[in-house]
Amino acid sequence: MIAKLKGQYGSGIHEASTYLGQNYMIVESAMIPEILQILRDEEQFDYCVDITTMHYPEQEKQFEIVWILYSFARNERIRVKTAIADGEEIPSAVPLWPAANWLEREVYDMFGIRFQGHPDMKRILLPDGWKGHPLRKDYGIIQQDRDWVQINLGIESGQ
Amino acid sequence: MQPVATTFFFYFLAALTLAGGVLVITRKNPVHSALALIIALLAQAGLYLMLYAPFVAGVQIILYAGGIMVLFLFVIMLVNLERSQREEQFNKQWLLGIIAATALGALFITIFVRGRAIFPVHIAAVAEESNTQEIGLMLYGNYMFTFEIASLLLLVAIIGAVVMAKKRI
Amino acid sequence: MAPIATIHYLIVAAGLFVLGVTGVLTRRNVVIVLMSIELILNAVNLNLVAFSRIWGLHGQVFAIFVITDAAAEAAVGLGILIAFFRNKETVNVDEIDLLKW
Amino acid sequence: MFFLSYIWLIPLLPAAGAALMFFFGRSLQKKTVSAICVGSVALAFVMACGAVWQYTHYAQQVPGKAYERVLYTWIGTGDSNLNYVTRNGSPAPVQADVGFLIDPLSSIWLLFVTGVGLLILIYSTGYMAHEGGYYRFFGYLNLFMFSMLTLIMANNYLLMFVGWEGVGLCSYLLIGFYFHRPSASTAANKAFIVNRIGDAGFLLGMFTIAWYFGSLRLTAVSQLARSGHFRIGDPIITAATLLLFIGACGKSAQIPLYVWLPDAMEGPTPVSALIHAATMVTAGVYMVARSNALFVLAPGSMKTVAFVGAVTAIFAASIGLVQNDIKRVLAYSTVSQLGYMFMALGVGAFAAGVFHVFTHAFFKALLFLGSGSVIHALSGEQDMRNMGDLHRRIPITHWTMFIATFAIAGIPPFAGFFSKDEILWQAWSSEGGAYRLLWLIGFITALMTAFYMFRLMFLTFHGQPRMSHDVEHHIHESPKSMTIPLITLAICAICAGWLGWPHSLGGSNRFEQFVRPVFAKEAGVLQSEGAAGQVASGKKEEEHTNPLEYGLMALSVGAAIVGWGMAWRSYRYAAKGYNEPIAVKVPALYRLLYNKYYVDEGYDYAFTGRRKVLRTRLGVMGLGEGASWFDSHVIDALVNDAGGMTRLAGTLSSWWDKWVIDGLLVNGPAVLSRLLSYPVRLVQWGLVQWYALVMVVGLAGFIAYYAWH
Amino acid sequence: MLDYITSYLRSDTTPGQAGNILWAVVYIFLIFAGLSVAVIAMNWLERKILAHMQVRLGPMRVGPHGLLQPIADALKLLIKEDIMPAEADKFVFWMAPLVVVMTAFTVFVVVPFGATHAVTDMNIGILFMVGVSSLSVLGIVMAGWASNSHYPLIGALRSSAQMVSYEIAMGLAVVSAILMTSLNSAGTGTLSMIGIVQAQQAQHVWFVFKFFPLGMIAFFIFAIAMVAETNRAPFDLPEAESELTAGFHTEYSGFRWSLFFLAEYSAMIAVSSIAVTLWLGGWLRPFSNSLTGDTWEMVFSLIPGLSFLAFAAMCFLGVFRMPKHRAFRMQTMGLAGFGVLLGGIGLLLFVPPVRYRVQDIFWFSAKVAISMYMYIWYRGTFPRYRFDQLMKVGWKVLLPLGIGVLVLTAGVGVL
Amino acid sequence: MSFYEETTIHKRMDATAGAAGSVKTIDRTSHLELDHHDKTFLDTNELVINMGPQHPATHGVLRVILKLDGEKVLGTECVIGYLHRGVEKIAEHRTYTMFNPYVDRMDYVAAVSNGLGYCEAVEKLLNVQAPPRANYIRVILTELNRLASHMLWLGTHALDIGAITPLFYTFRDREEILKIFEKYCGARLTTHAFRIGGCSYETYDGFEREVVNFVNFVTPKIDEYEELLTTNRIWVERTKGVGPITARECVALGVTGPVLRASGVKWDLRKAQPYAAYSDFDFDIPVGENGDTYDRYLVRMQEMRQSLRIIEQAVGKIPAGPIMAKVPKVIKPAVGEIYHSIEAPKGELGYFIVSDGSTQPYRIRVRPPSFVNLQALDMMVRGQLVADVIAVIGTLDIVLGEVDR
């Protein structure tokens, strides 16, 4: 499968290998929609397990997005990864897997990455007016949106 | 069961009835109107009792107060619009209407006063104990046909109401 | 005070009738107009029952028929009202002028 | 005469069962459903046996006398004004009764319809035990029993038509039983539509008869036909019989209306066994046999029947040679055997044809039920390429099916031998070279029949196992409720033929003696008109047995054995991916046969309009499109040109009309009257409360008037 | 004066009919007090019975075996802050619980606890009862509407639809019972509550067993409809706590809420007494036909006292099973005191004049109590119906069944 | 392993939605009749109701905004996050060992499962194997925890539907499980039962006997629950056909656990990708047919029985030996990342751990089953009644601690 994909998108797939028995591949961000589409339609990865992100502030492309996919037919998982810079947008996977809806919203909520074509791109866990994206490495662990807390909760600090 | 303090109760119930009526046509909020109407209806049931018509009184309570008015309240809640309460409550012809209605009332009173002689003061005593039974006999005897027509009317009303209020038949 | 005779009941009924007529003629809210009609019917009923003390039970029987009628009228009237409200979002009677063509 | 006087109960019992199912079936337990349905049919069977037994007593006084019982007049007028006039001017009341008729012919049908039906119902309780819509299925089956019994017991054509349509409906419902499967519903539609074509023929034929004979009552019609008033070859009778035959073609799946029957195998297997093999499809045979008095008056029709039957027989048999679906093979075999029956009818051997119907009912039902048992054992597998080596796993099915195969192949002393041989002999002994050709076709068909049946057996039960591992794991013999009917039917398949043990083999051919009264008179008619050779009556046969007959008998047995041998050679050791001998030798022929001569495709091209060549539709639809093109381009163009001229004239006239007539003369007064009428409009303002106000003012005025006067 | 007081005791009619205002007021007071006590007892009983059904103990802290729990609850409710929502319609909001309570109490005017033990005997008694109890829906609708909140409004709508629907089935069942009263030689039926019981007495059969199974079916229709009428499980949709938090009384608290509570329980008792009157022979003792004679009269007249003594015995059993510890001293004493109270009542009931005067009331109350136990049992057993299913049961099952029973009863009665 | 589920799924998926392949948009109207579009003659206005966050039937602080037509639901929107505690952020500031107790606080009714998933994920990242005895103890405790979770679900679900009695029965029996937990590790709810590399405690004396006693005690109790509900007419009417979801929709929405199985998909991570010692045991995966609330109920009841089967087997053949593998004092996995998931009582619970070679995880992502399952709520309740929303929230078996983390 990997070989076939590599043949098709030679330069788009940077790396495809196995770590601790788990397959993953790193893909050029522009290739993402096509690769995901193919994985779903042709390779039967019909179940989107999770979508999440890592933040590497020291890299040029700060965010690494991970799609964890699973195929019922093959009983195997694959991780698709790509890196994007801050402020860059990435196409949404909702048309492929409706399950991606909330997962992408959570990524947006926590990291501030917007997904193009998502039907309802807004915060999910934090309140709508909140400022900042807490899972970024530059967001302190006790940091909070003081203004929001004062206005909405009427207290000085949420801690 | 003999009515006690007839005169007092008559004036009390009559006042209640009329006050209820006034409230019905003057309240802004239809729910209040409906409640006033219920009071009027219950007071009227009392008047029926005083007229030795317990069955009609019972029917008045069970049908009017218990049935029709619940229907009214139900509908009012369905169509309750704040807007209609803020708007003008009386239509353009209200003055004309009041004049006409008052004239009509005045005529009634005139006729009653002029024709007082027709109505006897002493009311013939009616057996209250068998009231229900006699009404029943009449309904199923003399008024059999009317009774059937009334039932048909109700049937038609039911069907009509269902047809009109149901979204999809 | 004079003993309560039939005429007293008739006068109460007349008052109720006039109130009902006034409501029908002047209010804009259809629900209240319908309730005013109920008032009119009740005035009639009161008359019927009052007279039944003089001329036998026929009046009471008719009162029952009138109540039946009132039920039918309320059902149909409110049905129309709901249908109308769903179409026009209003319960004002002077906006119900579909008869004017 | 208890049973005879209550014969109307026979169809009514299943009908009651069906009604119960349709009204309450949903809430009933499966056990209750089976009890009601099987019970009602069993009762009907008992009643039928009783009725036939009593009928034999009844008929002893006057042999062949039909017992009729009219319940009430269904359609009929005593009003002579409404009566209608037959061809020769005599008034004939339009009358149709609800009445039942028992004579030898209907007794035979009665017996095997209820008997085989009962067995199949019992079988179904096992076969359908795990299916949804259990009550629906049994309701349909009971409704079918009711319709079929109405059909065969009707005493007039109209009631027969009721049954006829009823069985058509039930067939449709049952084929489409798995209605969520697109193929099943398509097949059901196909069966229904094709049958409608035939039914139209039947209807027209019936009208013709009503018009020509002035009656629809079966006995009356045959009496009239036998009275000698009509000459042989009467064109109207020929037309009527041909129309009736079209109906028979539809119901009994003859060329060209046979296409629905193979597809009908989409229904559950018991249905295939009951309706599409044993009972319903023989309705056409029944109808033709029942109308024998008419047919013998129309030699042209007889020939048509014979040839259509013969061609159908060989045609379907040839398709059956190469089919792989076990039920499909049996379906084509049914078509082929029905062709046999029609051939027999066509050559005037009515008794032989009916006899074949009788024996065929047993062994074909047995074959279908056996195949159902095989399918059941293989968890739904129907393709013979994926079977093999089942004879040790499901021995009962194997042995019973083998008996049926012997029977259908015509190996003595199994049932099929006697009836088939009788038909062949009758065909041979009919006069004329063309009839010898019929015999030849029949003979070849017999050979083919033996081949494909033994092919089926060897592929299914012998050779190497070819099914998938999972399926093989689950093979099991069917439950008792399924095997017991199989065994019963197997016994019947052996013994049913002995009823017609021919004279030439020292028997007495009791079967023919039994039915002879129904047909005997025709022989007389024919003989008196000089066409004696057409019918080989029983009497003639009794007198002398031709040595040739033994030869033919030997030949046909030989054909069966040769077919067996060929199948043995080709399929004895069939392993996975075995070769079809025909496919190897003559691939073109194989493709032709495998695709069933492309008849379905042909019909598709010709009638449905779904297929096109380039942009033009073919067939009937193509004609329509052509006509439509002509209409829109030629006719319409003429019309349009004429229209253009008219429009010009109209424009001119409209100008005049608009400004002078309307503007001045018409609108002028209208505007005036509007101005004048404004005050009156106040009365009709459309506001309810305004009306009420007016009413109140009026009331006040009224009261005031009376108060002061 | 004394004559005036004792005149009623010797009469064989109800005070209302006798025109005896004094005794009527006394009765009204007694019924009001008795009803309040009954509601309090019901509160305790429901919690205990439900708890034991659910393998737990229920209230155990306030008073011995939680006997004082309802009183504590009542106190809590009385001193709780009475909240009125800001946007509510003040007057209607205030009126609603009063309307509900008034209707629930008014019906007891005609409930016959015995041949003479009713405030009055109206000749349209059952009509009055059904009519007035149907007015309580007005109060519920008012409460729901006046709260100006979604959940109460939905609760009110549900409640009005439900009560109007089930009233019809209920009415049909009632009418079939009334038809049975007219099976005497004169052919005169009665609507009077006392008359209905007397008809059962005269016909020597409780109507539940009359025309078996017609009476039984009518009774069951009524039994189901009455559960729905009182908004109890499994028909408690107007106040379904898992869907509408508390339905029409979501916004009520404190004293007003306790009025709803009071009204609900008195309505349950009221409809139960209708059922008892119409079908279960009202105040008639069981086996009054088979076990006759003075001896049996005597035996049955002892049962009230005996049952109270049995309650007292249970109390004393509880006293002995109490832990012997200082902390439980108050509780033990309280329970013993309660037992003494019950025993005292029991002994009082053995005094012949009391005994004969009171046994009617006892039998009536015992039958009502059984019906109340059924209410609790339903609540412990059934899940809640969904609204459309509820309507289905009302209109498609009970209504046709009721009509059928009515027609059949009329037919059988005529035959 | 033989993956015979494959055919089942695809057959069912094809059957439900026609051609396989494109799942572009879920056909949300496939099983519903939404008639709020036809504004032809009559139309009532819509009513928007705010259910929660303080509502007795939303199991915590879920807030559902319902759009109603009368009592029919036109649409819903879930508002979550009221219980958000930033577990994933906390993880980045704790060592691997220190983070272990935190996971118990997510799905607090199935804390043992959470701990199992986390420990196994870290073990995988370290390339360490827990010893067999530890694995058996893990299986026993996890299955007991699954039982406890299902019992809690059953009680609250029944309460939502109006049957109050089962709640007390299930709480009574769940208490026995909690007693075992308490005896084993001192805690009842947030147990922190496992350590990275194995278990920290040896089983106490009589552990096996008590577990067996518990199994014998609880088996008839489950029959008792079923007796109360399974054939109860009202219960069946309230649950059958309510909140249906097809296998295809489940897969598309990522719904896992009993909800997925009730739709007919025979997929359970314990079988599909066995972890701990599950490959040693013989148990069935119960599946439903219609994917409605009733089937989900039946599936969970069956799962409880299967859990008992597993526990019985595990206790029977629990091996002797060490309970901890050799794990370095300071856990410092190599640079790399791992995804490991287990079958929690609510569905697939996954941990995605990224290590940068230090003692603290660079990133831990938890894939919570409740969070993903809750997405399906909207689709399941459209066109149903308000009362069904309650039933469906109950049957989804969500825990807000896990949804919000």
Side-chain angles (χ1 to χ4, degrees), chain B residues 28-35 72-82 85, chain E residues 85 87-94 96 137-157 160 247-249 251-252 260:
Chain B
K28 261 189 175 184
N29 191 329
V31 172
H32 292 175
S33 285
L35 295 178
F72 265 102
L73 282 173
F74 198 89
V75 169
I76 293 168
M77 285 174 199
L78 278 183
V79 301
N80 200 14
L81 267 194
E82 305 250 320
Q85 286 184 36
Chain E
E87 292 288 310
D89 191 317
K90 300 275 184 308
F91 179 71
V92 181
F93 192 83
W94 177 78
V137 67
L138 283 175
I140 289 173
V141 170
M142 282 161 72
W145 179 80
S147 301
N148 200 1
S149 163
H150 282 316
Y151 288 130
L153 185 64
I154 291 181
L157 288 175
S160 50
F248 61 89
H249 55 63
E251 303 289 347
Y252 281 84
F260 276 119

Side-chain angles (χ1 to χ4, degrees), chain C:
Chain C
M1 276 192 282
I4 305 304
T6 312
I7 186 90
H8 292 83
Y9 291 99
L10 296 187
I11 290 171
V12 173
L16 215 52
F17 190 86
V18 168
L19 285 172
V21 169
T22 315
V24 170
L25 292 186
T26 57
R27 290 302 301 256
R28 288 181 80 208
N29 192 328
V30 181
V31 185
I32 295 178
V33 170
L34 284 174
M35 284 196 261
S36 303
I37 294 173
E38 301 294 333
L39 278 183
I40 297 176
L41 291 173
N42 270 295
V44 173
N45 268 358
L46 194 51
N47 265 0
L48 287 171
V49 176
F51 280 128
S52 81
R53 291 221 55 195
I54 307 174
W55 290 304
L57 283 171
H58 301 270
Q60 295 189 17
V61 173
F62 265 93
I64 288 166
F65 284 134
V66 171
I67 292 176
T68 318
D69 244 21
E73 173 252 316
V76 175
L78 293 172
I80 294 174
L81 173 64
I82 288 178
F84 181 74
F85 178 76
R86 282 176 181 159
N87 263 356
K88 286 210 160 183
E89 297 267 311
T90 177
V91 289
N92 284 347
V93 74
D94 44 10
E95 287 171 48
I96 310 177
D97 52 0
L98 291 174
L99 283 175
K100 185 177 67 181
W101 286 109

Side-chain angles (χ1 to χ4, degrees), chain D residues 29-248:
Chain D
Q29 299 263 322
K30 283 189 173 176
K31 262 186 204 159
T32 330
V33 169
S34 356
I36 291 172
C37 293
V38 177
S40 63
V41 174
L43 261 180
F45 177 60
V46 172
M47 294 282 302
C49 289
V52 172
W53 171 64
Q54 286 187 344
Y55 170 71
T56 52
H57 284 283
Y58 174 82
Q60 264 168 6
Q61 292 109 36
V62 186
K65 187 182 171 203
Y67 175 85
E68 256 187 286
R69 181 167 170 77
V70 176
L71 292 186
Y72 59 91
T73 303
W74 171 29
I75 296 171
T77 65
D79 185 356
S80 58
N81 292 328
L82 283 175
N83 284 353
Y84 97 141
V85 178
T86 55
R87 185 180 56 99
N88 45 21
S90 59
V94 181
Q95 186 164 348
D97 303 321
V98 171
F100 297 114
L101 173 83
I102 297 276
D103 70 349
L105 193 60
S106 51
S107 330
I108 287 162
W109 252 272
L110 197 55
L111 282 180
F112 79 74
V113 165
T114 48
V116 174
L118 176 62
L119 288 175
I120 290 172
L121 271 166
I122 294 169
Y123 176 91
S124 306
T125 57
Y127 189 83
M128 301 296 286
H130 309 297
E131 303 268 352
Y134 191 77
Y135 75 93
R136 196 159 55 86
F137 180 78
F138 278 90
Y140 290 161
L141 276 189
N142 269 30
L143 185 64
F144 169 76
M145 292 304 291
F146 162 68
S147 311
M148 190 69 202
L149 290 168
T150 314
L151 196 165
I152 59 182
M153 287 167 66
N155 78 336
N156 60 46
Y157 279 101
L158 198 60
L159 191 59
M160 190 197 270
F161 188 69
V162 170
W164 187 271
E165 288 296 313
V167 294
L169 170 71
C170 293
S171 157
Y172 164 78
L173 291 172
L174 284 163
I175 295 169
F177 182 73
Y178 300 116
F179 53 83
H180 45 81
R181 229 160 49 191
S183 61
S185 55
T186 320
N189 280 338
K190 188 173 181 181
F192 202 64
I193 292 163
V194 172
N195 265 312
R196 283 297 73 69
I197 299 170
D199 294 346
F202 185 12
L203 260 181
L204 290 174
M206 196 164 82
F207 293 155
T208 317
I209 289 169
W211 168 65
Y212 202 65
F213 291 94
S215 174
L216 283 172
R217 189 177 272 214
L218 298 170
T219 43
V221 170
S222 2
Q223 225 159 26
L224 265 175
R226 284 167 186 157
S227 63
H229 289 309
F230 305 96
R231 69 185 168 78
I232 287 183
D234 188 316
I236 301 203
I237 292 184
T238 309
T241 47
L242 279 177
L243 284 169
L244 286 183
F245 180 59
I246 290 175

Side-chain angles (χ1 to χ4, degrees), chain D residues 199-330:
Chain D
D199 294 346
F202 185 12
L203 260 181
L204 290 174
M206 196 164 82
F207 293 155
T208 317
I209 289 169
W211 168 65
Y212 202 65
F213 291 94
S215 174
L216 283 172
R217 189 177 272 214
L218 298 170
T219 43
V221 170
S222 2
Q223 225 159 26
L224 265 175
R226 284 167 186 157
S227 63
H229 289 309
F230 305 96
R231 69 185 168 78
I232 287 183
D234 188 316
I236 301 203
I237 292 184
T238 309
T241 47
L242 279 177
L243 284 169
L244 286 183
F245 180 59
I246 290 175
C249 277
K251 194 72 44 191
S252 292
Q254 295 301 298
I255 286 181
L257 299 179
Y258 74 96
V259 287
W260 65 272
L261 186 60
D263 284 10
M265 299 305 135
E266 286 291 344
T269 306
V271 170
S272 306
L274 176 62
I275 299 185
H276 306 119
T279 58
M280 184 192 91
V281 289
T282 63
V285 180
Y286 173 77
M287 197 256 277
V288 172
R290 177 55 85 195
S291 317
N292 57 8
L294 297 178
F295 273 88
V296 291
L297 289 178
S301 305
M302 291 287 274
K303 285 186 186 109
T304 317
V305 171
F307 275 92
V308 167
V311 171
T312 308
I314 191 164
F315 182 82
S318 65
I319 296 175
L321 291 178
V322 298
Q323 296 301 317
N324 288 323
D325 186 322
I326 182 166
K327 281 177 74 178
R328 213 162 257 279
V329 172
L330 292 177

Side-chain angles (χ1 to χ4, degrees), chain F residues 62-286:
Chain F
L62 171 66
R63 176 175 163 214
V64 185
I65 299 171
L66 296 171
K67 209 163 78 174
L68 304 178
D69 170 14
E71 289 221 9
K72 192 198 269 179
V73 180
L74 299 179
T76 64
E77 191 188 340
C78 293
V79 180
I80 55 174
Y82 292 93
L83 208 56
H84 179 61
R85 289 151 299 179
V87 165
E88 292 174 10
K89 187 78 178 172
I90 292 170
E92 293 171 14
H93 294 76
R94 297 285 179 276
T95 63
Y96 287 97
T97 327
M98 282 162 79
F99 183 60
N100 198 353
Y102 280 91
V103 297
D104 286 358
R105 271 76 182 167
M106 289 190 311
D107 183 356
Y108 37 74
V109 300
V112 180
S113 294
N114 296 359
L116 177 69
Y118 176 72
C119 292
E120 289 207 331
V122 180
E123 282 159 19
K124 243 180 170 176
L125 194 60
L126 287 169
N127 226 340
V128 175
Q129 286 286 331
R133 183 173 173 80
N135 272 338
Y136 269 69
I137 294 174
R138 283 177 170 187
V139 167
I140 293 171
L141 292 182
T142 314
E143 288 306 319
L144 282 174
N145 198 208
R146 186 186 309 279
L147 264 171
S149 169
H150 280 359
M151 279 176 178
L152 188 83
W153 157 81
L154 176 64
T156 50
H157 183 40
L159 187 65
D160 287 346
I161 288 183
I164 46 181
T165 306
L167 179 77
F168 297 99
Y169 286 19
T170 55
F171 266 70
R172 173 194 63 193
D173 303 337
R174 177 171 170 266
E175 196 61 26
E176 301 300 318
I177 301 174
L178 298 189
K179 274 180 195 159
I180 294 176
F181 286 167
E182 191 179 8
K183 259 188 159 177
Y184 175 73
C185 58
R188 285 158 54 86
L189 202 62
T190 47
T191 48
H192 188 203
F194 309 133
R195 300 294 182 269
I196 294 162
C199 304
S200 50
Y201 310 109
E202 185 49 85
T203 55
Y204 58 87
D205 289 340
F207 174 78
E208 284 92 341
R209 197 188 61 243
E210 275 190 22
V211 171
V212 170
N213 283 348
F214 168 73
V215 170
N216 294 336
F217 161 77
V218 90
T219 313
K221 301 292 180 201
I222 295 175
D223 295 337
E224 197 177 311
Y225 309 152
E226 288 229 52
E227 225 166 90
L228 270 173
L229 297 175
T230 306
T231 52
N232 185 324
R233 212 187 147 92
I234 303 179
W235 175 264
V236 174
E237 277 195 40
R238 277 302 303 278
T239 51
K240 218 163 206 170
V242 169
I245 185 164
T246 62
R248 187 178 180 76
E249 291 161 344
C250 276
V251 173
L253 280 165
V255 174
T256 44
V259 185
L260 178 68
R261 290 193 279 278
S263 302
V265 181
K266 206 167 186 177
W267 186 77
D268 187 321
L269 273 171
R270 287 175 291 174
K271 282 267 195 212
Q273 297 181 338
Y275 51 92
Y278 279 109
S279 44
D280 299 357
F281 307 122
D282 182 26
F283 63 98
D284 300 329
I285 307 174

Side-chain angles (χ1 to χ4, degrees), chain A residues 22 52-53 55 72 81 139, chain F residues 3 89 337 339 362-363:
Chain A
Q22 298 189 342
T52 189
T53 302
H55 186 212
F72 282 100
K81 302 210 282 186
Y139 196 94
Chain F
F3 195 77
K89 187 78 178 172
E337 55 190 41
Y339 177 81
Y362 188 76
R363 166 113 172 83

